[in-house]
Amino acid sequence: MMETRSTCAYCGVGCGLIIASEGRHITGVRGDPEHPANFGRLCSKGASLHLTATPEVLSSRRLLAPRWREDRAQAWQEPGWEGVQRRLVERLLALRAAHGPEALGFYISGQLLTEDYHAFNKLARGLWGTPHIDSNSRLCMSSAVAGYKKALGADAPPCSYEDIEQAGCLFIAGSNTAWAHPILFRRIEAAKAANPALRIVVVDPRRTETAEFADLHLALRPGSDVALFQAMLHQMIWQGWIRQDFIAAHTEGFETVRAQVQAMTPARAAQLCDLPEAQIIEAARLFAQSPATLSLYCMGLNQSSAGTDKNQALIQLHLASAQIGRPGCGPFSLTGQPNAMGGREAGGMATLLPGHRDPASASDRAEVAALWGVEGIPAGPGKTAVEMFEAAAAGEIKALWIACTDPAQSLPHQSLVRAALQRCELVVLQDAFTGSATAEFAHVLLPAATWGEKEGTVTNSERRISRVRAAVPPPGEARSDWQIVRDLARRLEPALRPGRSSLFAWDSPEQAWLEHREATRGRDLDIGGLSYERLELAPQQWPCPEGASEGQARLYLDRRFATPSGRARFQPISWRPPVEWPSVERPLQLSTGRLRDQWHSLSRSGTVPSLFASAPEPRLGLHPDELARLGFAEGELAAVDSARGRLHVKLAADAQLGRRQAWLPMHWGSEYLLGRDAHGAALAGVNALSQSATCPDAGQPELKYATVGLQRLALPWRVLGAAYVPDAQAEALHQALLALGREAGYACCVPVAGTVRGQTGWLLEAAFAQAPADAWIQGLSRSLDLHAPGALRYADGRRGHLRLLRLQGEGTEARLQSWLRVGETRAGQGDGDGAWLDAWWREGRPVAGLGRQLLAPQSGVASAPASPVVCHCLGVREAQIQARLGQCQDLTPGARLEDLQSALRCGTQCGSCLPQLRRLVQAAPSSLETSP
C-alpha cells in the first residue's frame, strides 16, 4: 500500500488528507495530522472520498473516453482523443469564421486547480480572443470579492483560521458552518470549550445547528441583513462604541455613512428584520465591545441581489470599531468551493484578470498580454455566468465550453438555462462524471481526471496554498484539465498564431503554475517566494514574496489598506428589499442551502449511497404551524411554483424555520427530483424556482431568495419500487429507474446503502393522476427483477393495487431484496397499504416472523418510516439515539451526550454529527428541573 498527501476536493476549508492506494486503485483516506487547515480531522464527506473512486464507481459513473455526436438525437460515438480533437477544432474554427471569437463562452469551476484555471484563461483571452470566461464561483463568492475590493481595495480575506481561537466574539452571518464547513465548526466548538467567555452571535433566518450553538441568534427576515448591520452601526455610534481615532487615521467616507445610518435606528430595523430591538442592540454591543470580533460569513450574504451591499455593510462594522488588522478579528469570508480562491487569483472570472488585475484597466490588460506573450487581450469584462446563458438563449453566444460544473442543475432560472443550452450550436462538456443534467445537451464530452488522479495546487479560505497530488493514474482515457486545454490549444494555434511559438509549451502542471506565479509578483497576492518544492514541505499562505521566510497570516497589520489612498473606504449603502416580495399568490419566502453530507449537484457525493442516509429524499421544509395554516400534512405532495418555474415535492415540518419561510436543499436537481407537469413538460429540480436577478456590483444571482406558492397536487396513484443489486449493476438500475420516473407526475429516485456488503440499493417513488399504465408497471417490475419466477405477488384487480416481493436469504436470515407496490391513496391514508416495506427494506430487517403479512392488503405492521442516520461514520440512526436518551433522563445534557458517545460511539469519529446530537439531547425529556 502507498500513501500520498493531497487536499480534499469538497469545500473551501482546504483540509489536508492522506490517500491510501494499491496499484491503480484508491483504497482509503484519512486526515493529514500535519496540515494546518484541519490537523487530521475530516468531515463525513471528506472521510468518504475514497468511496467515490471504487472500481464500481470508476466503471459505471466515470466518463472514461471522449465522446462526440453531431446531433443531440444521435447516439454517442467514441472516436478517441485524436478524432474528437480534430473534429472539435474544425467546428470551433468554423464557428469563429462565421460569428467571431466572442460567439464562444467558457463556463468553468471553482473545483478546478489553479493550473487548470490558468490554462483556460490563457486559451480564452490570450489565444481565442473572447472575454467571456466565467466560473461557477460567480454563484457563491463574487459578492465577497466585490465587497472586499470596494471596502478594503483588494480581494484578500485578512484573517486566518487561528483567529477563531483568539477571538472574543464570533459573529457568524448567513452561514450554517456546522453543515457547510464542519471542520471549522469543530474548531469553533473547541474554542468555546477552551474559552467559555467567547460569545457567539449567529445571524440566520433558520434556527440551524450553528444557531443553536450560539449565545445570541438573530432570526431575521430573509433579505434584511443590510438593515440589521446599519442599525448595529447606528447603535455603535449612538453609544460611543466606535473608534474615532482608527476611523480618522485609517479610513475615508465615514461622515457620509454616519449621516445615512442615522435614520436606521434599532427600532426601525426591528420592524424591517422582524427582530426584537433588544437583540439588535445586544448584537451591536457584543460586536463593538469585544476585545476581538471575528465575523464568518458565506452564502446567506453572498447569494443575493444586494450581496455586495451586505458584505460592505458588515465590513463597515469592523472598520468603525477597529475590529480588523489584529489577531482574532476581521471580516472573514468562508469560501464555498475547494479552489474558488485560486480561480480568483488566476483571473478565471469575467470580471477579473490574473494577479487581481482588472479587465476594465488598459494598463492591467497590457501587463497580462506581456506576461502571456500576446499582442493584446479583449477589452473590458466579459459576460458573467447569468449573462452568458442569457446571451446564449438570445442567440448571441453560439457555443459553450463547460468544465467541471453542471449549469443545467446549479444555475438559477432553469427554463432559461436549458433553452440556452438547447439553442447553442456546440456544447462542450469537460467532466469527470457521467449522468449530469448538462450532459443531455452536450455535443462533446471530454473525460477529465479528478481528485486523487491529478497534480496541482488549490487555495483555501485563509489564502493557504496546498498541493494536490495524484495517488493513481486517471482511469480509461481521462486526462487532467490543463492537459486537455493545452492539447486543444496547440491544435488551434496553427490557424490562430501561424508560424509562432506555442503559448502552451507545458509538459507539466508546474510549468503552468510558474506562469501564474509571475502574474502575482509585486501584487497584493505576491507568491514569488513560493515554488512546488517549497509547497511540498508545507502549505503556505499568501502573500509570500521572494525572500519571505513564510506566508503572511494576517493582512493590514500596519493599518494600510490596498486602496490608492491606503485608507479603507466607507461607502453609503441603502437597504432595499429583495427583488421579489411575497404576494397572495406566492406568500412563502424560499431559501436553499447545503445538506451536511452532500455536495453541490451530487456528481461526486451522489456516488456514495451512505451519504444519503441522513437526508434520504428531497423535502420542502415549512414550519409546522405554516403547514397547518395552509392545510397540508407532513409527507404530502405539493406543487411549488415561482414566477419562473414549478416543481413537485414532498413537504416536511421543520421547526427551524420561521413562519412564511420555506427551505429546500440546493442539491436536488432533475437527476433525483423529477417528473412532469400537467402539460407534459419535464420538471427541472430546485433551480426551476430560483431567480436570476443579480447583484449589480458582483453579478451574483439571488439564489437564496424566491417567493413561491403551494398547491395541492392531485396525484393519488403511488408507486414505490426498490431493489438491492450487486454494486456493478447499480448504475444500470439507476438509469432504468430514471427513465421510468421521467414519465410520472412526480418522482424521486435515490440510492440507499446496502445492508449486505457489495450491494447497493435504488428506490423510485412515483405518483400519477391516473393508474399507471400496465406497460409502465411491467417495465418497473423487470428493472427490479420481480417479473421472474420466485417473486411473491399480491394483486387486487378491483382496486388496482399490486404488491410484488423478492426475498434474499432463507429462514431467519431472509430479508427483502426487492419490492414493488402500486395503489391509490385516499385522504388520511398516508402512503397507503404497505408503507412499512420501505423501512423494512432500507434497514435490512429480517422478515421471517411476518409470514402472510408480507402480502396482506391491510397489514398490522407498524408503518413508521425508516429512521434517518445521524452518525454517518458508524451508521447510528436517530431511533437508536432516542432510545438511549430515554434511558438517561436523570442526567445533565452534557452527561447525556457523553453517554451517547460511550454507548453508541456516535460523534466520536469525524464529529460532523455533534451539532445534531446536541439538538437531540436538548430536545429529549429530562427529569432534571434545571436546564444547561
Side-chain angles (χ1 to χ4, degrees):
M1 182 183 74
M2 292 186 61
E3 290 194 332
T4 306
R5 277 190 159 85
S6 193
T7 309
C8 184
Y10 286 119
C11 77
V13 173
C15 295
L17 44 78
I18 298 174
I19 307 168
S21 61
E22 293 183 9
R24 300 178 64 89
H25 295 294
I26 291 172
T27 57
V29 67
R30 59 188 174 89
D32 184 348
E34 298 180 10
H35 198 289
N38 61 314
F39 298 108
R41 300 185 186 96
L42 290 178
C43 72
S44 58
K45 295 186 294 294
S48 303
L49 260 172
H50 63 292
L51 300 179
T52 70
T54 63
E56 290 77 20
V57 170
L58 294 180
S59 63
S60 63
R61 302 291 289 273
R62 287 294 299 277
L63 183 60
L64 298 177
R67 298 179 184 176
W68 177 276
R69 59 185 178 186
E70 292 291 338
D71 185 272
R72 295 184 182 97
Q74 294 178 345
W76 287 107
Q77 303 172 25
E78 295 187 357
W81 277 109
E82 173 65 28
V84 165
Q85 288 174 342
R86 176 174 45 80
R87 296 182 191 184
L88 181 53
V89 166
E90 291 172 356
R91 287 287 301 274
L92 287 171
L93 291 174
L95 180 138
R96 181 188 175 94
H99 305 291
E102 294 195 24
L104 173 61
F106 291 82
Y107 186 55
I108 54 179
S109 168
Q111 296 176 66
L112 293 173
L113 306 186
T114 301
E115 295 77 0
D116 304 326
Y117 257 113
H118 175 72
F120 267 112
N121 201 16
K122 195 174 184 182
L123 168 62
R125 286 178 163 126
L127 176 62
W128 187 261
T130 179
H132 306 318
I133 176 169
D134 207 33
S135 166
N136 62 11
S137 299
R138 180 71 55 189
L139 309 185
C140 61
M141 297 311 305
S142 53
S143 292
V145 172
Y148 276 137
K149 290 175 69 174
K150 293 189 79 169
L152 307 180
D155 173 23
C159 312
S160 293
Y161 295 156
E162 63 185 25
D163 287 315
I164 291 171
E165 287 84 18
Q166 302 189 45
C169 174
L170 287 178
F171 190 85
I172 305 174
S175 170
N176 185 11
T177 319
W179 278 17
H181 299 95
I183 297 306
L184 276 193
F185 196 72
R186 300 287 81 72
R187 203 155 178 167
I188 292 171
E189 292 170 325
K192 180 72 170 177
N195 177 21
L198 171 66
R199 291 293 171 259
I200 300 176
V201 180
V202 170
V203 180
D204 198 311
R206 299 171 60 226
R207 188 162 180 79
T208 63
E209 281 81 353
T210 306
E212 290 188 347
F213 192 69
D215 299 288
L216 175 62
H217 173 213
L218 284 73
L220 78 175
R221 178 181 287 126
S224 63
D225 308 76
V226 169
L228 169 65
F229 299 154
Q230 289 191 326
M232 289 173 62
L233 181 56
H234 173 107
Q235 185 68 12
M236 290 178 186
I237 296 170
W238 179 262
Q239 293 291 341
W241 293 338
I242 61 173
R243 284 279 304 276
Q244 290 281 11
D245 56 339
F246 180 91
I247 293 169
H250 306 297
T251 73
E252 57 192 18
F254 177 70
E255 291 306 319
T256 302
V257 171
R258 178 201 286 267
Q260 183 190 39
V261 302
Q262 203 167 23
M264 187 58 75
T265 64
R268 182 180 178 221
Q271 295 179 330
L272 293 173
C273 301
D274 194 18
L275 286 173
E277 182 181 357
Q279 284 192 353
I280 299 174
I281 294 171
E282 177 65 2
R285 185 187 70 81
L286 290 172
F287 193 108
Q289 294 200 309
S290 165
T293 295
L294 180 70
S295 62
L296 304 172
Y297 50 100
C298 201
M299 302 310 148
L301 298 194
N302 295 342
Q303 289 180 331
S304 168
S305 59
T308 303
D309 289 348
K310 293 178 182 181
N311 276 261
Q312 276 190 280
L314 178 57
I315 293 171
Q316 288 180 170
L317 295 179
H318 284 274
L319 296 175
S321 55
Q323 297 283 10
I324 190 171
R326 293 182 287 111
C329 66
F332 197 175
S333 164
L334 299 180
T335 313
Q337 296 187 87
N339 200 32
M341 185 72 74
R344 289 145 65 178
E345 298 160 11
M349 296 179 72
T351 49
L352 299 173
L353 288 178
H356 288 174
R357 291 177 175 85
D358 186 349
S361 165
S363 60
D364 281 0
R365 294 197 305 271
E367 287 179 9
V368 172
L371 285 165
W372 287 352
V374 298
E375 288 77 11
I377 61 174
K383 294 188 183 298
T384 61
V386 170
E387 293 171 340
M388 195 183 303
F389 281 83
E390 288 174 342
E396 179 183 344
I397 286 180
K398 305 292 184 181
L400 289 168
W401 187 332
I402 300 162
C404 196
T405 188
D406 189 8
Q409 191 277 339
S410 58
L411 276 171
H413 198 174
Q414 275 295 303
S415 60
L416 181 144
V417 171
R418 294 177 178 221
L421 290 166
Q422 188 67 45
R423 185 167 185 179
C424 278
E425 298 174 16
L426 177 66
V427 175
V428 180
L429 178 60
Q430 184 169 318
D431 206 347
F433 294 92
T434 61
S436 71
T438 305
E440 297 179 24
F441 300 91
H443 300 92
V444 187
L445 297 177
L446 303 178
T450 186
W451 169 86
E453 305 160 2
K454 58 194 300 188
E455 296 277 341
T457 59
V458 293
T459 310
N460 71 358
S461 295
E462 61 171 352
R463 297 172 282 104
R464 191 178 299 278
I465 302 172
S466 295
R467 283 279 281 115
V468 172
R469 300 176 181 88
V472 295
E477 298 179 53
R479 297 178 178 178
S480 295
D481 291 280
W482 71 268
Q483 186 180 3
I484 295 172
V485 172
R486 178 203 65 183
D487 293 347
L488 264 295
R490 285 178 175 175
R491 287 176 174 266
L492 288 166
E493 282 182 313
L496 302 179
R497 287 172 51 87
R500 302 184 188 182
S501 59
S502 177
L503 300 175
F504 300 84
W506 310 322
D507 297 317
S508 69
E510 182 178 9
Q511 291 171 299
W513 185 83
L514 290 171
E515 289 187 8
H516 160 68
R517 183 182 69 177
E518 292 309 301
T520 72
R521 288 190 187 273
R523 309 288 297 179
D524 66 289
L525 70 165
D526 192 334
I527 58 171
L530 297 183
S531 64
Y532 264 32
E533 290 76 16
R534 189 166 178 184
L535 292 173
E536 288 290 341
L537 300 176
Q540 292 287 335
Q541 289 175 277
W542 60 255
C544 187
E546 192 166 2
S549 59
E550 61 181 355
Q552 192 169 328
R554 295 176 186 85
L555 306 181
Y556 312 128
L557 298 178
D558 60 358
R559 309 294 195 271
R560 183 165 183 84
F561 297 91
T563 61
S565 67
R567 293 171 173 263
R569 294 179 291 219
F570 284 92
Q571 297 182 42
I573 301 164
S574 297
W575 175 81
R576 60 182 185 275
V579 173
E580 295 184 336
W581 203 243
S583 63
V584 174
E585 294 80 12
R586 299 189 178 100
L588 297 173
Q589 301 166 89
L590 172 69
S591 185
T592 63
R594 287 184 174 92
L595 292 172
R596 185 192 74 189
D597 298 332
Q598 294 292 2
W599 181 252
H600 286 197
S601 62
L602 307 183
S603 294
R604 187 193 309 276
S605 63
T607 66
V608 184
S610 60
L611 290 177
F612 287 80
S614 59
E617 65 179 358
R619 290 211 173 195
L620 180 81
L622 298 169
H623 191 279
D625 293 348
E626 195 68 38
L627 270 180
R629 186 185 71 81
L630 295 171
F632 286 95
E634 172 99 16
E636 189 171 353
L637 280 176
V640 189
D641 75 277
S642 74
R644 292 152 298 280
R646 177 184 180 97
L647 62 76
H648 299 162
V649 67
K650 281 185 178 180
L651 302 178
D654 186 350
Q656 293 180 315
L657 296 164
R659 289 163 179 80
R660 301 297 175 100
Q661 293 177 20
W663 192 76
L664 184 63
M666 62 183 282
H667 316 288
W668 301 118
S670 57
E671 297 303 295
Y672 296 89
L673 182 60
L674 55 157
R676 296 187 178 277
D677 65 18
H679 305 289
L683 302 176
V686 58
N687 282 314
L689 305 174
S690 57
Q691 58 177 307
S692 54
T694 60
C695 170
D697 295 299
Q700 182 154 356
E702 194 155 57
L703 283 163
K704 279 287 185 182
Y705 188 98
T707 58
V708 298
L710 291 187
Q711 297 175 344
R712 183 158 277 102
L713 200 54
L715 300 174
W717 283 89
R718 302 290 180 85
V719 180
L720 273 89
Y724 287 121
V725 296
D727 290 341
Q729 301 174 20
E731 185 55 21
L733 174 60
H734 174 208
Q735 293 303 320
L737 296 181
L738 281 179
L740 291 162
R742 293 187 180 108
E743 299 179 32
Y746 157 84
C748 169
C749 186
V750 291
V752 178
T755 56
V756 175
R757 186 177 178 84
Q759 289 191 346
T760 296
W762 278 94
L763 181 144
L764 174 70
E765 180 174 6
F768 298 83
Q770 306 294 332
D774 289 343
W776 192 92
I777 294 295
Q778 291 169 11
L780 180 56
S781 175
R782 284 192 298 272
S783 298
L784 301 174
D785 195 27
L786 290 167
H787 64 298
L792 305 177
R793 178 183 177 89
Y794 160 78
D796 183 338
R798 181 180 61 83
R799 298 172 62 204
H801 286 203
L802 173 68
R803 193 181 303 175
L804 299 174
L805 310 170
R806 183 178 294 280
L807 304 184
Q808 182 179 42
E810 297 181 357
T812 58
E813 297 301 313
R815 286 166 171 76
L816 282 173
Q817 180 179 17
S818 56
W819 59 280
L820 165 63
R821 67 180 181 89
V822 182
E824 184 179 12
T825 62
R826 294 178 173 82
Q829 188 180 341
D831 282 339
D833 298 340
W836 57 275
L837 288 170
D838 182 7
W840 227 263
W841 172 78
R842 283 179 184 269
E843 297 178 10
R845 303 178 193 175
V847 298
L850 296 179
R852 299 171 70 178
Q853 293 182 89
L854 283 169
L855 294 177
Q858 296 291 340
S859 171
V861 180
S863 60
S867 176
V869 169
V870 173
C871 176
H872 168 264
C873 296
L874 298 172
V876 182
R877 294 182 179 272
E878 183 175 331
Q880 297 170 268
I881 294 167
Q882 297 284 19
R884 185 68 194 181
L885 288 172
Q887 299 174 27
C888 52
Q889 295 184 20
D890 57 341
L891 300 179
T892 65
R896 277 183 279 173
L897 179 59
E898 290 178 3
D899 181 83
L900 286 176
Q901 292 177 302
S902 174
L904 303 178
R905 298 189 62 224
C906 50
T908 63
Q909 302 298 304
C910 77
S912 296
C913 63
L914 280 171
Q916 192 171 356
L917 290 177
R918 287 195 200 91
R919 169 179 284 173
L920 293 171
V921 165
Q922 294 290 349
S926 173
S927 61
L928 301 178
E929 294 184 359
T930 58
S931 58

